[in-house]
Amino acid sequence: MKPLPNEIVLRPRFQWDVSGAKEEILKKFETAGHPPFLVKRLDEHVFIKFNAQNNHFWSPQLHLQIEEIDATNSQLYGIFGPNPTLWTFFMFIHFIIACLFIIFGIWAYSSASLNKPYHIQMGIMGFLVILWFVLYFFGRSGKQKGKPQMQELQTFTRKILEQKA
């Protein structure tokens, strides 16, 4: 097992070699849901998240994908991430900021080419850069708040995998 990385990673990942057939492992997860975890399976994908009582704004979820290596061994790929709605919202906000930055950059370049004042556009571009950094650090602090739950999800996954079939 690889430890959770400390470097700048938006969605931490891990990969484990697991003994057992793919279907056998997937069955373990299907029958394993108990509070505070909700476990859902879709084909060879397993989604584990916290129930409503233990869920907060920054609660992570764990997406597992199990691939069969041979009849007795499988490989498990795990990725931690925020609630998909939260993730989509953050990406949408970053996209809007990037588009506005490009628009104001084009406007500033056009104004400079026409020898017109462009200080307002440059000021707004600077504000957008600051706003991007604020969003980045806001997301990093949220990830830190969700880290204990990430450890709980990883421990829960390990317990499921260690169960006898």
Side-chain angles (χ1 to χ4, degrees), residues 93-94 97-98 101 122-138:
I93 295 296
H94 282 276
I97 290 172
F101 185 85
M122 294 299 288
I124 292 173
M125 288 173 64
F127 173 75
L128 290 172
V129 169
I130 291 168
L131 185 60
W132 182 82
F133 276 109
V134 167
L135 282 174
Y136 174 77
F137 287 113
F138 185 64

Side-chain angles (χ1 to χ4, degrees), residues 5-6 13 34 46 52 57-58 63 71-72 79 87-88 90 109 111 116-117 126 130 135 137 155-156 164:
N6 288 329
R13 302 164 193 269
H34 63 79
V46 177
F57 187 72
W58 295 108
H63 170 215
T72 60
I79 181 168
W87 180 256
T88 303
F90 256 82
Y109 177 76
S111 294
K116 292 185 176 183
I130 291 168
L135 282 174
F137 287 113
T155 302
F156 175 71
K164 298 289 182 193

Side-chain angles (χ1 to χ4, degrees), residues 22-35 37-43 45-48 64 66 156-157 159-165:
K22 179 172 80 171
E23 279 304 315
E24 175 186 316
I25 295 168
L26 289 168
K27 291 286 183 200
K28 285 182 185 181
F29 281 104
E30 276 183 19
T31 59
H34 63 79
F37 303 103
L38 299 173
V39 180
K40 293 183 182 177
R41 176 189 171 190
L42 181 63
D43 298 326
H45 300 272
V46 177
F47 299 92
I48 307 170
L64 302 172
I66 294 111
F156 175 71
T157 301
K159 284 180 185 177
I160 298 301
L161 293 172
E162 290 172 356
Q163 288 178 356
K164 298 289 182 193

